[in-house]
Amino acid sequence: MKAMVLAAGLGTRLRPLTDTRPKALVEIAGRTLLEITLTRLRTFGITEVIINVHHFADQVIDYLKSHKNFGMRIEISREEVLLDTGGGLKKAAWFFLEDPARLDESFLLHNVDVLSTIDFARMLQYHKEHRPLATLAVQSRETSRPLLFDNHLQLRGRRIADKDTLIPIPPDAVISSEARNLSSIPLQSLAFSGIHLISPRLLPLLTEEGIFSIIPAYLRLAAQGQKILAFRADAY
């Protein structure tokens, strides 16, 4: 299994720590966020990773070289302009499509500044059982931009500034006839953790170009009837 670590951001929420270093190299208890993330991935058998870089990119590259890539195959996706989550993934898509024998193998997308104890093996099993385009690790907690899911944990919209934006329900959606009106469906407001499991089937469906967030792409695809699911990670 492969993974992508999103490490290109400016780390504005971590300033002043990120005034002189990338957020990937911010330390917690003497270990960098990047080391913590890569070690977690290795624990679950992931040894092939692509990392996108931009802010103090050379520091990340030199750090990896000095640690011999932590014994992993690591590729670098350098972004001259920040491409956001969707654009960054699209630029790095070649990494997940390079081996014709592994085109059905899902991969993990992980923000470098997210610390968790999520059981990736359990999340992967859930992903395999339901076969969505993407599975998003979510929690019931306070957030300024929650995502909205129905009782099948299918993505149905999001909330920004206390305003719900709902997507249309496809005609073949698995819901009761009484709930055909989206406003009548009980929706769960859940916080996204920045950890996704993604099927390579998603990659050619990312028709957006340039700089774009992956969440609007997920919402667009869900509105087209594609399955984007939540994985409840409240205990982690």
Side-chain angles (χ1 to χ4, degrees):
M1 185 178 180
K2 295 182 177 182
M4 180 174 185
V5 175
L6 297 171
L10 301 178
T12 54
R13 290 173 295 179
L14 293 176
R15 285 176 177 164
L17 294 174
T18 50
D19 286 342
T20 56
R21 74 187 108 173
K23 64 181 177 181
L25 300 188
V26 170
E27 293 185 356
I28 294 180
R31 300 174 69 207
T32 65
L33 291 172
L34 184 56
E35 178 190 352
I36 293 169
T37 300
L38 293 176
T39 301
R40 283 268 296 146
L41 296 182
R42 284 192 62 184
T43 299
F44 287 93
I46 298 172
T47 59
E48 296 178 85
V49 179
I50 188 165
I51 302 172
N52 70 339
V53 295
H54 171 77
H55 185 55
F56 294 115
D58 289 337
Q59 287 190 31
V60 176
I61 294 168
D62 292 343
Y63 173 80
L64 289 167
K65 287 180 179 178
S66 69
H67 289 79
K68 299 181 179 179
N69 287 345
F70 294 93
M72 307 169 80
R73 176 202 171 190
I74 294 181
E75 301 287 345
I76 296 295
S77 180
R78 186 186 286 266
E79 298 179 9
E80 300 305 323
V81 176
L82 275 175
L83 297 175
D84 210 333
T85 50
L89 173 59
K90 189 166 183 175
K91 185 176 189 296
W94 66 267
F95 181 69
F96 305 105
L97 303 173
E98 64 180 348
D99 186 348
R102 300 174 66 179
L103 294 182
D104 292 331
E105 184 179 295
S106 294
F107 60 90
L108 189 71
L109 185 62
H110 196 300
N111 285 4
V112 75
D113 55 356
V114 172
L115 302 180
S116 83
T117 59
I118 290 175
D119 186 338
F120 295 143
R122 182 166 167 256
M123 186 176 172
L124 179 59
Q125 183 61 36
Y126 176 87
H127 180 77
K128 287 181 175 179
E129 288 174 359
H130 296 280
R131 292 186 55 79
L133 281 183
T135 298
L136 315 183
V138 298
Q139 293 178 318
S140 179
R141 60 174 171 79
E142 289 296 320
T143 178
S144 61
R145 295 180 295 175
L147 298 177
L148 303 173
F149 298 87
D150 64 20
N151 56 1
H152 296 283
L153 293 179
Q154 165 70 31
L155 180 63
R156 293 298 180 202
R158 64 177 169 177
R159 179 177 300 144
I160 298 177
D162 296 325
K163 181 179 179 181
D164 290 353
T165 301
L166 306 179
I167 61 175
I169 293 182
D172 58 350
V174 183
I175 60 173
S176 66
S177 57
E178 293 82 5
R180 182 55 57 188
N181 181 357
L182 185 57
S183 61
S184 69
I185 298 177
L187 295 176
Q188 305 175 64
S189 174
L190 298 168
F192 177 43
S193 70
I195 297 172
H196 338 216
L197 270 170
I198 297 174
S199 165
R201 293 181 289 119
L202 171 77
L203 299 175
L205 301 178
L206 293 176
T207 55
E208 294 83 357
E209 297 291 342
I211 303 167
F212 67 96
S213 168
I214 201 166
I215 295 300
Y218 284 154
L219 291 165
R220 173 181 61 79
L221 291 166
Q224 294 171 1
Q226 298 288 352
K227 190 185 293 185
I228 311 293
L229 292 184
F231 173 76
R232 294 298 297 263
D234 297 288
Y236 299 104

